Amino acid sequence: LYAVDPASMTVTRRYLASEIGSDGYHAFTARVLADGRLALLGGQGGIPNVDGYGSVAVWNPADNSLVVYKSSYQSGFGTPASVVVCGQLLNIGSFTLTGDRAKIVIASIDSDGTVCTIDPATGRDNYITGAGSALHLAASNDGKYIVEIGQVDNQGEAFVYDAATLNPVRQFPLAFGPDSSTTLTISADSATLFLASQSILYAYDLTSGQQ
């Protein structure tokens, strides 16, 4: 992992994977939580866009403490010791934080269709299942929504969830079938979902689902 000064764009610190936590942790993605700790995505299995990832972790660089979270499916594999979360979750396909950066959000890449939040402050999780294979996740800046995009019966779909409860808010079709190259973000005012295919940028109203 590299710490980068955003003003000078210079590397200020390098952390070896073997030195993260007492047993080491190989992170593929890092997100900064609101309390200054880091949420890490690790445990790559095979091809990431097919086989997904096996764990997420919360790491405190100040004291090198590390808490690893895995699904029950992945809990028997590898080190370090882990906390089992997210019910029927198999492998992780998507990883982000809620808009307030207080919780970790992950979604399954497999048919269990799990979407799960983990609160690093308490270690508690909340999850739903059956949403289909998740390709990407995004969270609104106002902290209200988590948006998942994927495919249902070869049709692109967007699923909007309440960030606090994970209750479904709405679902709407997309004009194209998203794949691993699709990128998405939510506007600063939390009103519009932007999706980029390989050649077209789409915008959808999050309240109505209209393109």
Side-chain angles (χ1 to χ4, degrees), residues 128 140 143-148 158-172 205-209:
I128 59 172
S140 61
K144 290 183 178 180
Y145 301 122
I146 293 167
V147 179
E148 171 193 13
F159 303 87
V160 183
Y161 304 104
D162 183 295
T165 65
L166 286 184
N167 289 333
V169 175
R170 65 187 56 88
Q171 176 180 339
F172 54 87
D205 186 292
L206 274 180
T207 301
S208 65

Side-chain angles (χ1 to χ4, degrees), residues 4-211:
V4 178
D5 184 312
S8 63
M9 291 304 294
T10 57
V11 175
T12 59
R13 183 76 184 268
R14 181 179 68 134
Y15 300 94
L16 296 177
S18 60
E19 297 173 353
I20 296 175
S22 58
D23 297 306
Y25 189 83
H26 190 173
F28 293 87
T29 305
R31 297 282 188 269
V32 182
L33 291 159
D35 63 8
R37 292 184 294 171
L38 299 181
L40 308 176
L41 174 66
Q44 178 180 318
I47 304 170
N49 290 327
V50 176
D51 302 304
Y53 297 85
S55 67
V56 293
V58 176
W59 178 51
N60 188 345
D63 60 12
N64 201 32
S65 60
L66 182 77
V67 180
V68 178
Y69 299 94
K70 292 182 179 180
S71 67
S72 57
Y73 175 77
Q74 286 286 347
S75 61
F77 299 97
T79 57
S82 58
V83 178
V84 175
V85 292
C86 303
Q88 301 175 28
L89 173 68
L90 295 177
N91 295 291
I92 300 166
S94 302
F95 164 79
T96 190
L97 302 180
T98 52
D100 58 5
R101 296 189 293 123
K103 295 179 181 179
I104 299 167
V105 188
I106 55 178
S108 177
I109 201 167
D110 297 303
S111 59
D112 55 281
T114 302
V115 177
C116 180
T117 59
I118 303 167
D119 186 341
T122 64
R124 294 178 179 174
D125 65 344
N126 184 30
Y127 61 91
I128 59 172
T129 59
S133 179
L135 292 173
H136 303 284
L137 288 169
S140 61
N141 291 325
D142 61 7
K144 290 183 178 180
Y145 301 122
I146 293 167
V147 179
E148 171 193 13
I149 64 167
Q151 294 194 38
V152 177
D153 298 328
N154 297 317
Q155 167 66 52
E157 293 282 332
F159 303 87
V160 183
Y161 304 104
D162 183 295
T165 65
L166 286 184
N167 289 333
V169 175
R170 65 187 56 88
Q171 176 180 339
F172 54 87
L174 303 176
F176 69 106
D179 58 26
S180 59
S181 68
T182 305
T183 58
L184 75 159
T185 190
I186 297 175
S187 60
D189 62 3
S190 301
T192 307
L193 172 67
F194 293 103
L195 293 169
S197 69
Q198 293 184 4
S199 58
I200 301 174
L201 177 65
Y202 298 88
Y204 292 89
D205 186 292
L206 274 180
T207 301
S208 65
Q210 292 298 307
Q211 181 181 319

